[in-house]
Amino acid sequence: MTCDRSAQLHAYHDGELSSADVAEMEKHLLACLICSAELADLRGMSLQLSQAQRPQLSQIERHRLHRHLDSVMERAVVRFAWSLSGVAAAVLLVGSFWLSQATEPVQAAPPWVDAAAYAHSLGDNAQSPAAQWYLADATQRSTDEAP
């Protein structure tokens, strides 16, 4: 048999209820034998656990425990690094394949790219002094001559 207040019983035992709820639970405990027995069991277990000796690790056992934890952590880091390397390799392969499968034709250079070559072919027939300076050879040009 169970009582519908058994969930609140654990909170009562742990001291997590408000003062109004504590008073109500204490009234309920006087009337309910199931909750009273369960509370007695909880108090008995708490008493046994509080009186039990805690195990003490020797210095050698602590050293072994730390060494084991370090090795487990190191394996986890290595496993993560291998996984990350695999993902990076997959991205590299997929990206390389995708780039090699370009279906768009290569476009010709925009028309302004050939403008300098066309203007240079005019030679001395360039109209302005700025155009002549721009088209001059770099060895002939100096920063002092800038128009």
Side-chain angles (χ1 to χ4, degrees), residues 10-125:
H10 291 278
Y12 172 77
H13 177 262
D14 294 337
E16 298 173 348
L17 294 180
S18 66
S19 58
D21 290 337
V22 168
E24 187 178 326
M25 182 57 80
E26 287 174 352
K27 287 180 189 175
H28 175 74
L29 287 170
L30 294 174
C32 182
L33 295 176
I34 296 171
C35 289
S36 297
E38 190 172 345
L39 181 62
D41 288 343
L42 284 173
R43 287 182 176 160
M45 281 191 291
S46 294
L47 182 64
Q48 285 181 350
L49 288 174
S50 67
Q51 292 175 348
Q53 288 186 350
R54 294 182 183 147
Q56 297 293 323
L57 294 177
S58 69
Q59 186 176 2
I60 293 172
E61 291 170 330
R62 282 192 304 243
H63 177 71
R64 287 179 184 161
L65 177 64
H66 283 283
R67 196 172 62 206
H68 177 71
L69 289 176
D70 288 343
S71 68
V72 168
M73 291 301 292
E74 185 176 319
R75 282 189 301 227
V77 169
V78 169
R79 194 172 28 235
F80 178 72
W82 276 104
S83 301
L84 196 58
S85 298
V87 169
V91 167
L92 182 66
L93 287 174
V94 169
S96 298
F97 178 75
W98 178 70
L99 287 173
S100 70
Q101 299 298 317
T103 57
E104 293 182 22
V106 177
Q107 295 180 355
W112 60 82
V113 171
D114 293 329
Y118 173 72
H120 190 63
S121 69
L122 293 176
D124 291 334
N125 297 333

Side-chain angles (χ1 to χ4, degrees), residues 120 132-142:
H120 190 63
Q132 290 175 359
W133 178 83
Y134 180 75
L135 297 174
D137 188 28
T139 59
Q140 297 173 354
R141 187 180 336 152
S142 72

